[in-house]
Amino acid sequence: MNINKNYLPILFFATLALGILIGGWLNFPSQNQIFVKNNSKNKLNKLLDFIDNEYVDNVNADTITNRAINTILAQLDPHSVYIPPSEQIAVAESMRGEFVGIGVNFYMYKDSVAIIKPVENGPSEKAGIKSGDRILYADKTKLYGRKLPTDSLFSKLKGKEGSEVLVTVYRKSENKKLNIKIKRGVIPIKSVDAVLLLSPSAGYIKINRFAESTYEEFYKGLTKLKEQGAKSLVIDLRDNGGGYLEQAVAIADEFLKDKQLIVFTKDKNGTLEKTYATKEGSFENGRLFVLINENSASASEILAGAIQDNDRGTIVGRRSFGKGLVQREMDFNDGSAVRLTIARYYTPTGRSIQKPYSKGNEDYQKESELRFKSGELYNKDSIKTPTTPKFKTPKGKIVYGGGGIVPDIFVPLELTPSKEHTVYLLQTGILGQFVFEQLDQNRNAFKGLSFEQFKVKIDGTDLYFNAFQKFLFRNGMNMNLDTNKALVKRYLAAEFARQLFNESKFYEIVLKEDAMIEKVLK
C-alpha cells in the first residue's frame, strides 16, 4: 500500500475516527490539549506506516481515510458531510450556477444521447443542434450503443471554454447524419425556474436552490415582473433545500427596510454576527407571500423567517424542514471537501428553527415520515407548537422556534391515496420519457404553434392521456388513471410545454390548480 500524501492534512480527523471505531468518545482538543492532539497525529502516522510495511494484505489508503472521515462527521450533526473528489466537481458547478459545455438537455434513450432541448442561446443551439437529434459521436468517440456511465459521457461533451468538439448527429426528421462543430461555452445552471404573472397584478418567482447566481437571477425576474405591472409577489420556496446564506440575505434585503434585522449567527465561542437590511430594497411595500413546505430548508428558512419575523409578508404552506445550522466548505488537496457546521443561525426575533438531532442521523431523517403519521401535513392542529419556544414579532404576532418555520396560513396536503400515487408517478422521469417519445414520433404536430395555440390544442384532446395510460401498461405499471384524469392531463400538458417551450411555461400550466396559489389569489 502506498499512502497518498494528499491526505496528510486530514490525518487528525482519521485519528479521531479510529478512536470512535474502538469505542471511544469524540472530544475535540482545546488549547490546553495541543500535546495530545499532536501525539494523536504522530500515532496515526505510525499506524499508517505499520499497515504499509507490515500488514498481510494490500489496503487502499483512500478507503481507510474516507471511512474515518465519515465516521467522525456522523458523530457531529446531520449536515456536516464529506464530499469525495468524484462528486465535488458536480457539486461545485451546481452551487456556482454554471459549467462549461455544449449546452443541451438530454437523456439516454435506447442507448443513444437524445436531445430533449438545446439550451436557449447556448453553443449547441447556435451551431444548429435541434430537439430530437441523437449525438452519435463526439469527435471520434462513439457515444451510442455503449451504455456509457454519465461521468464518462459528460467528459466527452464538457471541456475548456472556447474549445471545439465535432459531433455527429442523426436527425430523425430529415433521416440523415450531420457533422456539426460546436464551440464550448459557459452554460448557466438556473436556480430560478420560473418568472411569470399569476394575474395582471400578481407576480410569481420559483427558486429551486440558493446558488451563487440566485440573487442575480431573482433580481432580473423581479424587475421584469414590476415592468409587467406586478404589485404583489409570490416567492415559491417549496422543495428548496437551501444553499448559500448570503443569497437568501440579498433577496430578503429587497423586501425589508433599512436597518431591519435579517438574520444573525452564533458560533461556538458565542460570537454574534448580525446582518441588516440596507436602503436598496426595490420591493419594500408591495404585498408579499412566501410558499414553503416540509422540504423547504436552510437558506429557504432564513428568507421565510426574515419575512415573517419582520411582519413583512405572509408565509403560506406547511411547516418547513427545520435546518438552522451554517456550514463552511473546506477543501482538501485531493479535490475532496468537507462541509463543516461552524455556527447556528437565528431569525430576527431570536428563534432557532433547527429541529433536534440528538438521537442520531437516522432518527433525524425519519422525522419527516413522522409528520405523515401524526397527521401534521393534513391538519395544522397536529403541529406540536405548545411545547416549543414562543417569540413575538414587532406587531405582536406569535411565532415558534424549535423545528422549522410554521406558516401563517396552513395549506394541507390534499391528496387521497389514489391521487397521491398518481402525483408521485407524474413527478418521476417516466412522464418526460413518454412526452419525448410522443414528440419524437410526430414533432411536426406542434411546429409553429404559439403557446396559446398549443394550450388549445393539447386541452382539446384525450389522445395523449390515452396513449400515456397504454404506455404505463406496456411498462408494467397497471395504474388506472381515469379517476385522476384532469390531474394527469394537466401534468401532460405541462411537460409538453416544458419540452417545447421552457420551464416557466411548465409552471404556468401546473400552477392553475395549485392549492397554495389558489389560497394566495383568494
Side-chain angles (χ1 to χ4, degrees):
M1 175 188 74
N2 293 318
I3 300 299
N4 188 336
K5 300 305 180 184
N6 285 332
Y7 284 97
L8 289 179
I10 52 174
L11 291 181
F12 173 53
F13 287 123
T15 304
L16 291 172
L18 289 172
I20 296 166
L21 290 172
I22 61 172
W25 291 97
L26 174 68
N27 288 299
F28 281 102
S30 60
Q31 290 297 319
N32 63 354
Q33 294 174 307
I34 298 298
F35 172 77
V36 175
K37 181 173 74 172
N38 290 335
N39 189 48
S40 296
K41 289 182 179 180
N42 292 334
K43 186 182 293 185
L44 181 59
N45 283 328
K46 276 194 173 183
L47 174 60
L48 291 174
D49 284 339
F50 292 156
I51 295 172
D52 193 16
N53 297 320
E54 306 293 342
Y55 188 67
V56 63
D57 295 321
N58 290 326
V59 178
N60 188 312
D62 292 3
T63 300
I64 290 178
T65 310
N66 291 352
R67 286 180 180 175
I69 296 171
N70 287 323
T71 302
I72 288 175
L73 296 178
Q75 309 301 312
L76 302 180
D77 66 82
H79 301 290
S80 290
V81 296
Y82 173 67
I83 308 171
S86 59
E87 299 175 17
Q88 175 61 0
I89 294 176
V91 170
E93 288 176 344
S94 175
M95 296 313 298
R96 190 167 60 245
E98 63 181 30
F99 67 95
V100 175
I102 65 172
V104 289
N105 295 312
F106 71 91
Y107 68 91
M108 295 303 295
Y109 178 69
K110 295 182 179 178
D111 291 339
S112 66
V113 180
I115 306 302
I116 300 172
K117 199 174 192 306
V119 173
E120 187 176 359
N121 295 320
S124 289
E125 184 180 70
K126 292 177 180 177
I129 297 291
K130 295 182 179 181
S131 299
D133 285 352
R134 270 69 160 175
I135 300 181
L136 305 179
Y137 291 88
D139 291 323
K140 295 181 179 180
T141 302
K142 181 182 176 182
L143 301 184
Y144 69 95
R146 297 181 55 192
K147 295 184 179 180
L148 287 174
T150 302
D151 54 351
S152 297
L153 185 59
F154 282 162
S155 69
K156 304 301 179 185
L157 301 179
K158 291 182 177 181
K160 293 183 178 179
E161 184 177 359
S163 62
E164 292 184 336
V165 57
L166 179 66
V167 298
T168 301
V169 303
Y170 170 69
R171 183 159 297 162
K172 184 177 179 180
S173 60
E174 300 175 13
N175 192 26
K176 64 181 181 181
K177 293 181 181 179
L178 302 168
N179 291 320
I180 300 176
K181 186 173 289 187
I182 305 173
K183 181 179 288 187
R184 296 182 178 94
V186 176
I187 310 300
I189 307 175
K190 292 185 177 180
S191 53
V192 171
D193 285 335
V195 175
L196 55 92
L197 287 173
L198 298 170
S199 73
S201 61
Y204 170 90
I205 299 178
K206 169 67 175 175
I207 305 174
N208 65 53
R209 72 189 188 287
F210 290 90
E212 288 183 17
S213 60
T214 301
Y215 170 71
E216 182 180 352
E217 293 178 51
F218 171 83
Y219 187 78
K220 287 180 180 178
L222 177 60
T223 301
K224 176 183 176 182
L225 291 173
K226 288 168 60 180
E227 291 172 350
Q228 292 176 338
K231 305 298 181 185
S232 61
L233 181 66
V234 178
I235 303 176
D236 193 343
L237 301 179
R238 287 176 290 182
D239 301 317
N240 182 325
Y244 290 130
L245 180 149
E246 296 82 3
Q247 298 293 312
V249 166
I251 292 173
D253 195 5
E254 295 299 325
F255 307 114
L256 300 176
K257 297 186 183 300
D258 188 32
K259 297 181 181 179
Q260 285 186 303
L261 183 60
I262 296 175
V263 67
F264 67 91
T265 61
K266 183 188 295 185
D267 66 14
K268 66 187 297 182
N269 298 317
T271 304
L272 298 179
E273 288 192 11
K274 297 185 177 183
T275 304
Y276 295 91
T278 67
K279 299 178 181 179
E280 306 302 322
S282 62
F283 201 86
E284 294 183 357
N285 298 309
R287 294 189 70 193
L288 179 63
F289 301 87
V290 180
L291 310 185
I292 60 172
N293 66 6
E294 53 281 357
N295 298 317
S296 305
S298 191
S300 293
E301 295 172 300
I302 290 173
L303 177 53
I307 299 303
Q308 188 176 55
D309 283 15
N310 283 292
D311 297 303
R312 172 60 187 89
T314 304
I315 310 301
V316 180
R318 296 182 291 277
R319 181 166 65 102
S320 62
F321 181 86
K323 178 180 179 292
L325 302 176
V326 183
Q327 284 75 45
R328 178 183 297 157
E329 190 167 294
M330 305 172 188
D331 297 328
F332 295 130
N333 293 337
D334 68 328
S336 63
V338 62
R339 280 194 190 145
L340 194 66
T341 296
I342 59 167
R344 299 179 184 272
Y345 78 75
Y346 298 81
T347 66
T349 57
R351 55 183 170 145
S352 168
I353 50 81
Q354 174 63 47
K355 63 185 180 181
Y357 54 86
S358 58
K359 294 182 180 180
N361 287 1
E362 186 175 350
D363 281 358
Y364 182 82
Q365 298 301 336
K366 286 185 177 179
E367 188 271 343
S368 57
E369 298 176 16
L370 296 178
R371 298 190 191 188
F372 281 98
K373 295 177 181 178
S374 70
E376 175 184 327
L377 302 185
Y378 302 94
N379 189 337
K380 185 177 183 179
D381 293 338
S382 296
I383 302 175
K384 298 177 181 179
T385 54
T387 58
T388 59
K390 296 181 180 180
F391 300 81
K392 278 189 178 182
T393 68
K395 291 185 178 180
K397 179 172 63 180
I398 299 297
V399 292
Y400 299 92
I405 301 290
V406 177
D408 302 311
I409 298 176
F410 179 78
V411 179
L413 194 65
E414 298 176 336
L415 295 178
T416 63
S418 169
K419 192 172 184 180
E420 184 177 347
H421 292 164
T422 303
V423 169
Y424 290 151
L425 172 72
L426 296 174
Q427 291 175 343
T428 65
I430 195 166
L431 183 66
Q433 180 182 338
F434 166 77
V435 169
F436 177 83
E437 285 191 359
Q438 294 298 306
L439 290 173
D440 205 43
Q441 291 167 13
N442 188 13
R443 197 170 291 273
N444 287 332
F446 298 96
K447 189 174 182 179
L449 294 183
S450 68
F451 183 60
E452 294 304 319
Q453 292 171 328
F454 157 78
K455 287 194 294 182
V456 171
K457 179 180 178 68
I458 202 81
D459 290 342
T461 179
D462 287 342
L463 173 66
Y464 300 107
F465 172 81
N466 295 331
F468 185 53
Q469 179 74 84
K470 293 177 182 177
F471 176 83
L472 293 180
F473 286 153
R474 287 198 309 270
N475 285 276
M477 286 170 275
N478 297 319
M479 292 180 63
N480 189 334
L481 302 178
D482 288 338
T483 55
N484 296 305
K485 185 175 180 178
L487 174 70
V488 174
K489 287 190 66 174
R490 180 158 53 99
Y491 269 85
L492 277 169
E495 184 59 34
F496 270 101
R498 188 193 335 242
Q499 295 194 26
L500 289 168
F501 297 95
N502 54 49
E503 197 78 9
S504 279
K505 297 304 183 186
F506 170 89
Y507 282 97
E508 191 170 325
I509 293 175
V510 164
L511 295 175
K512 286 296 183 183
E513 297 180 34
D514 184 283
M516 291 192 196
I517 296 297
E518 288 179 354
K519 183 75 72 172
V520 166
L521 293 179
K522 288 178 181 178

